[in-house]
Each structure stands twice: as C-alpha cells, then as structure tokens.
DNA sequence: ACTATTTATTAAAGCGTTTTACTAAACATA
DNA sequence: TATGTTTAGTAAAACGCTTTAATAAATAGT
C-alpha cells in the first residue's frame, strides 16, 4: 500500500527537525508561531497522524483504559453492566481514549490477570461491579490509577463511583408508605453485596422514620443472587406464610420475578399487592403492569468513572475520589399510585421508550 | 514503581542475546530445545511479558480490531448492535485481540474518520449494520482487512456475515399460514435496508408458495425506520382501512409497537390478530402476550465476524467470505399457536430467561 | 560593548521489541 | 580432507515517536 507518512516526512517537507515537529504536535517547548503554522500546514497537506504504537512506546502512554468485569456480570444478557460499559466507551472517546474490556473469574488467579495489564497496555483501570480484592491490589501494585464502579471495597479507601442505594431504598419505601401500605416486604438476594445492603438499609430507615416496625419475616434476603428466578422464589416463600400489601425488591430482575409469581397465582398487581423494583432496566416498561422502580443512570456511572479516571491519569497523586450518583423514583403502574389518585411525577408515562 | 522487566533482563539472566529471547517468545528461527527451556524459565521467574507498544511498533501488528458502528445504531438503548458488539468482544479475547469501538456519523466526513485508523492502531475492521460506503472504501484503501455484519453493500463483493432474512421471513409467514391465517399484513419500516428487504421477500415468497395473493395495501413499508413508534403508527394506518388476521412485523420493535396500538384499541392478541416479529430481542418475553418471533443469534454474528476477520488478518489474500447465519422460529403467545393446539417447538416456554 | 538571559531549534539517545543478515559451529557428503 | 549444508545464536538496524541536553540566535541589562 501507499507507505505510511511519518514524522520524518513532515520534517523533510518543512526543512525542520523531527524534534520540532513533535513539539508542535504536542504543544510543548518554544516554537515560533510562524514555524508552528508551517508545520501544521505540512501535516495537513501530507495527511500525517502520529502512529499510536510509536507514540506509546516513546511517551509511555497507551491511550487506553482497561475495563474489568467479573465473569458473571458479563453474562451475555445482563444489560446493567453492559450499559455502564457503553457509558465509559462513549465518554472515553471524548477524552481520546479507547477502552479495552476484559472479564476475570470471581477467584483471583495468577494467569487470569488481564492481558492488557501484563502488556502494559492501559493507562488506568475501571472495575465494574463486585470484584475480587486481589485484582485491585494487583493493579495498585502496578502503580496504575483505578476506580471502582457500583461497588466498594470494605475497609479500604478507594476511588469509586457509586449509586445512592440508601437514598434510593428510602425513596422507594417512602413512596409505598405514602400510598398507605404498611405491611411492606423486602426481597433482597445476596445481602452481602454493598448495593443490596444499602438498599435494605434505606428500606429500614424509611420504615423507622414512619414509625412502622420492620418485620423480619417480611425480609427475604437468603437467595444467592438477584436474578429473576430468585425473585420468583423469594416471593413464593413470602406468600406461603404472609400476605404483604407491598413488596420492595432490591432490583428489577427480582421484582419481575415477583410479578411472574403473582401472575401465576392470579394475585393482582397493584390491586392486591404493590411492587417496586430498583435499577430501571429496559424490561420495566414491557412487563405488565409496568414496573415502578428507582432509576439508576447506568451509562452515567460509566461516564463519571471515566471522567474521574482521566483526571487521575493526568494528575498523579490526584487523591481518592468517591462519588454517589443520585437516583430517581420512576412511578409506573405496579405500585398503584395512579389508582390512588396520586400525582405521578414521571417523565413520559405514555411515550417513554417508544423508541 | 518497580521498574518494568524487559527483554533485556531476560537476556542478561540467561546470558543470551535479546534476539534469541525474541525468537523463543515468537517460536521462530532455530533455537535448541535446551535453550528454549532456559529462556522460558527465566521469563517465568522474572515475570516477563512483552510490552505491547514495542511489539506493535516493531512487528506492525497492533493486536486490535476496530468495530465501526453508525451513530444511530449506538443509541444507548439499542440492544441489537450492542449484542453483536459483545459477541465480537467475547470472541476477540479468544484470539488475543482487543476491540476498539467507535461510531461514525451517517454521512462520511474527512474528520469523522475513526482515530484508530489514523493512528494505525487496528489490524482489521468490523462494520456493524448500515454503513456509508465511503467508510468501507477508506478502510479498503488502507489495505486493511474488513468484514461487514448484518449489512451488505449492493453491487460490491465484500466479506460479510449476514442473517438469513429471506429464510426467516418465509418461516414466520409460513407459520402464520399454517395456523390458518390468510389475510396477513407486513409492516416494514425502511424497505431500503437490505435486511428488511430480505424479510419482505421471504414474506412474499411464502405467500406465493401457499397460493395466497399478496395484497399491496396490507404491506406498510413507508416508515423511515424500524422503531417501536413506527410499528405503532404503521399498525394504526393499517387498521384504519383494513382488518388483517395476522401481522408480520419486520422486527420486534415494530411488532411491539403493534402490540401497543392493539392494546390501546382493545383488539385482542392473538384472538383477533396474530403478531409475529423478528430478531428476538429481550423484550419479547416481557411483553403481553409474549411475542412469537424469528430469533437472530446476535452475539453469534459478532463471533463469526471475528473468526473470519482474524483469518483474513493472518492470511493476506484470504479472499472474500460471505456467510449467512440461520435463524429460528420462536413460538410464543402472540401468534395463537397454543390456542390452536399446535405443537409448540419452543425451547423453554416457562423458564426461559428466568435469569 | 559585554555579559546574562531568554527564545528557538536540533542532535542524539532512548523507548522495547522484531527481523535480517551474518558468523560460527556442527554435521554430511564425497 | 576439503567442501557444502544445516543448525544455533547474535549484532545491529529498524520501527516512529518523545525528550533531554546542547547550541545558536536574539534580546535584555548594565
């Protein structure tokens, strides 16, 4: 093919040295305005663009960000982390970075270390979701800046962008309380997960504030994870003994599991039981009834993570940043708010997602 | 930080030259088994791994694959191309590639050229979905191998992995015919799109085979694109004049649009109208009734694209590959198959996606 | 006018690999 | 034994940049 044009060609064309060309490109050193112009023009005319590999080698900057996800999270149908990823992907471009995605097994293992770390091929790392502490430690020892998204390392001060889980849990519960429900159940799944824990905390906080006692039997938190099937089972468990007026599920998947169970048992939602979820995944508007939930701005999580990570890359000893992203109650049909004549502060009941 | 260990360190430790180390790593040249062992051990002990940037610079291989998507397709909620992307992402890792994603505007523009092309930072390119021909040309002129996914360039022999749209359209239509429907409508959106065109073709083919006349008025193909809202509108248009017994929508989004309209008008699905979609997006199992559709293996599209692209990268003049991925009818509730006592050859009616 | 300082440019080293051409040793061939 | 052929290993150039230290020219200070 037509040979690649290099910095040498630009030097030759302008009669300057390659050093000068480099300085102009990177806006460094003292270069006369006039020569700058000349160089820029030559670059334009030749269609020159610095080769990434050479630039990386010389400058020790790769222009890449690593994105590490535990394998379970990458399950091909899980949209939550996919969206976070797309957010980082999108935002990275604004900062002229590319993001390299990889998954790692839950357990740390020497030969599960992401290749981009071994190859020295990233300038910083984003960890999304639950992650084994040893991966973080590995990255730390490399001296790379990193940030966690939607997770936190207990007992370790790390940079992280998190969801306001407590606030969201409170919000959802308060909403149910405001609608007059008192016997409210909580369905949680893996309560060890910081996010679930936070949502549960918010749940209890709201109840306490309202002076409603939190019935332990109404809190099903034993399931191993937060998939639909476990929501279904938790709901089943719940209804064998009790009859809650409302359910707050720690995420939409589980909430949808509840909906499934209730539909099977012919228990009407929201007339007999109200259901509120958390996350606002796409499915919410497709299920029947449409699910009231707490919206997490998933892409935004990724976006914010990139913003901070880039800061950290640019400025060494930037320090630790910890940010909590606000959430928002999205009222739809599964909580009975409409029925009860409540003002629905929702954005676009009818047309939403008619995309 | 602890300084990076380089090939020099390995050379020093083994008392060999760096050339030999390199040869061992890349399994080239003539190196005694014995020395090979020695080198490998030293590498192991030192924890050496070749730096990507240096390797790239010297070998002119980047280890990256570019993934180019038109902006509309990247709309953050569009799961179709996201899944294709995840498929490539996943498969790439098996081949030790990373994939760099970028979007481009619909119209070609000199300064919309993906940075990874300018930087010489990819070994090959995947184009997903509808793409302006000039981008393809640009890549071609760079001498880079490339492959299209879910699109084709009319009048140009390019490598591509496509869906069997015609077969799928035929399948869906035949299914409706088998159920006894005769007045079958087609809702298409952008008929210029090769995929839609193919599905329409399959539709007509099936009708013809069955000796059923294709009523032009039953084919709504004027909408600008295939979003939910346009399915809604097309359906509305349809029902102002006609009363089809069944609808075959060219994709699930539009099919869901139909469902919305029909629910609003209180027209029962499938009792009064049967609906079949195409793609099998996640929402299918959440809508009411669950949507019968033609499943496209979206991740698989990405996987296959990577497989072929890697071949092309490894073997220059590999030639053109064109592959059609088969599709599969997924019978659910919107077509009335159950009601009519038909055998339902579905995988997991009840538990599917209870993930 | 002479020195000190600032400004503009460059030569050259370095980044960490791959690869080619070369050498030396070992082995075959006759 | 002399010669050709493998085999094993290496020196050195190349890949295309950045960056540092040095130099030269212009400007300022007295």
């Amino acid at each position: 093919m037509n040979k690649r044009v290099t910095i040498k060609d630009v030097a030759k064309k302008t009669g300057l040295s390659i050093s000068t060309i480099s300085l102009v490109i990177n806006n460094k050193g003292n270069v006369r305005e006039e020569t700058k112009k000349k160089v820029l023009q030559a670059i334009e005319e030749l269609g020159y663009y610095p080769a990434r590999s050479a630039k990386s080698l010389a400058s020790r900057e790769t222009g890449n960000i690593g994105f590490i996800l535990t394998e379970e999270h990458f399950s091909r149908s899980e949209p939550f982390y996919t969206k976070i990823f797309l957010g980082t992907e999108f935002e990275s471009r604004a900062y002229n970075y590319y993001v390299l995605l990889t998954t790692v097994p839950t357990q740390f293992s020497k030969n599960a270390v992401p290749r981009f770390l071994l190859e020295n091929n990233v300038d910083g790392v984003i960890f999304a979701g639950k992650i084994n502490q040893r991966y973080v430690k590995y990255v730390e020892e490399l001296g790379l800046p990193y940030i966690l998204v939607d997770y936190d390392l207990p007992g370790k001060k790390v940079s992280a962008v998190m969801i306001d889980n407590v606030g969201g849990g409170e919000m959802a519960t308060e909403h149910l309380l405001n609608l007059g429900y008192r016997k409210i159940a909580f369905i949680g799944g893996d309560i060890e997960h910081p996010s679930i824990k936070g949502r549960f905390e918010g749940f209890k906080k709201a109840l306490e504030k309202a002076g409603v006692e939190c019935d332990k039997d109404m809190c099903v938190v034993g399931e191993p994870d937060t998939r639909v099937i476990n929501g279904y089972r938790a709901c089943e468990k719940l209804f064998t003994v009790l009859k809650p007026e409302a359910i707050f599920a720690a995420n939409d998947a589980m909430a949808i599991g509840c909906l499934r169970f209730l539909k099977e048992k012919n228990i009407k939602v929201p007339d007999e039981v109200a259901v509120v979820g958390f996350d606002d995944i796409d499915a919410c508007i497709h299920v029947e009834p449409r699910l009231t939930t707490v919206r997490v701005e998933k892409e935004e999580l990724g976006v914010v993570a990139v913003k901070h990570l880039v800061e950290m890359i640019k400025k060494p000893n930037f320090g630790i940043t910890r940010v909590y992203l606000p959430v928002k109650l999205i009222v739809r049909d599964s909580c009975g708010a409409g029925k009860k004549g409540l003002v629905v502060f929702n954005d676009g009941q009818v047309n939403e997602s008619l995309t």
Side-chain angles (χ1 to χ4, degrees), chain A residues 51-350:
Chain A
R52 181 78 254 180
S53 53
K55 194 185 178 86
S56 296
L57 181 56
S59 69
R60 338 190 111 275
E61 288 176 355
T62 68
N64 297 326
I65 287 175
F67 189 96
I68 299 180
L69 197 57
T70 301
E71 269 157 12
E72 303 95 273
H73 288 329
F74 189 67
S75 90
R76 298 188 177 179
S77 57
E78 173 129 19
F80 191 89
Y81 289 103
T82 299
K83 292 203 167 171
I84 294 181
F85 173 73
L86 291 180
T88 74
E89 190 60 72
F90 185 83
E91 188 68 8
S92 293
R93 250 166 296 155
Y95 291 101
N96 271 355
Y97 280 93
Y98 283 111
V99 6
L100 309 188
L101 168 65
T102 205
T103 60
V104 292
T106 308
Q107 288 310 312
F108 179 87
S109 126
K110 197 97 188 183
N111 39 8
V113 171
R115 188 164 48 86
F116 55 60
L117 293 179
L118 300 171
E119 290 182 323
N120 246 247
N121 201 17
V122 293
D123 299 332
V125 174
I126 292 174
F127 290 99
K130 199 172 181 179
I131 185 80
N132 186 306
Q133 181 138 199
R134 295 185 58 191
Y135 287 108
V136 179
K137 199 172 150 217
Y138 188 97
V139 168
E140 190 160 280
E141 280 168 359
L142 286 176
L144 281 177
Y146 65 91
I147 190 166
L148 307 201
V149 182
D150 187 34
Y151 195 62
D152 198 4
L153 247 31
K156 196 158 159 50
K157 264 287 177 212
V158 295
S159 289
V161 16
M162 289 158 296
I163 302 163
D164 180 10
N165 287 304
V166 178
E170 218 176 324
M171 223 178 252
T173 313
E174 269 169 8
H175 179 64
L176 290 171
L177 288 165
N178 288 341
L179 291 172
Y181 304 112
R182 284 297 170 273
K183 290 169 62 180
I184 306 177
F186 177 85
I187 284 183
D190 176 18
I191 195 71
E192 289 310 308
H193 194 292
S195 290
I196 307 299
K197 202 179 276 182
R199 292 167 193 188
F200 190 32
E201 205 176 298
F203 170 75
K204 289 185 289 190
K205 212 162 155 185
L207 288 186
E208 194 174 328
K209 259 202 221 162
V212 175
E213 205 198 343
C214 176
D215 181 353
K216 281 270 178 269
D217 296 334
M218 284 286 214
C219 303
V220 186
V221 294
E223 314 302 323
D225 57 67
T226 56
R227 291 174 309 154
V228 173
I229 184 68
N230 289 320
Y232 182 97
R233 289 192 186 130
C235 197
E236 193 171 24
K237 220 169 277 175
L238 204 56
F239 273 79
T240 52
V241 277
L242 299 157
K243 257 218 153 292
E245 299 163 358
I247 301 171
F248 169 39
N251 77 345
D252 291 339
M254 297 192 88
I256 289 174
C258 292
L259 256 30
R260 288 260 170 89
F261 173 80
L262 296 169
K263 179 157 288 173
E264 265 179 35
K265 297 300 166 197
N266 213 17
I267 302 173
K268 295 275 179 259
V269 178
D271 301 315
E272 300 176 57
V273 200
V275 177
V276 174
F278 205 115
D279 284 352
D280 195 26
I281 63 177
D282 293 340
C284 291
I285 55 163
H286 291 125
V287 293
E288 173 111 345
R290 297 181 316 151
L291 192 63
T292 288
T293 191
V294 178
R295 175 177 295 170
V296 173
E297 299 288 354
K298 294 156 282 290
E299 285 94 350
E300 187 65 11
L301 281 169
V303 167
V304 172
V306 168
K307 280 201 165 85
H308 282 87
L309 184 61
V310 169
E311 282 289 309
M312 295 164 77
I313 292 173
K314 298 267 157 86
K315 310 185 189 132
N317 50 46
F318 176 74
I320 302 285
T321 25
R322 293 174 68 76
V323 7
Y324 284 84
L325 249 52
V327 293
K328 187 178 168 190
L329 185 70
I330 304 294
V331 179
R332 297 203 182 90
D333 312 328
S334 67
C335 58
K339 179 188 62 175
K340 306 221 173 186
L342 213 99
V343 176
V344 172
F345 44 98
N346 179 7
D347 42 6
Q349 283 265 18
V350 172

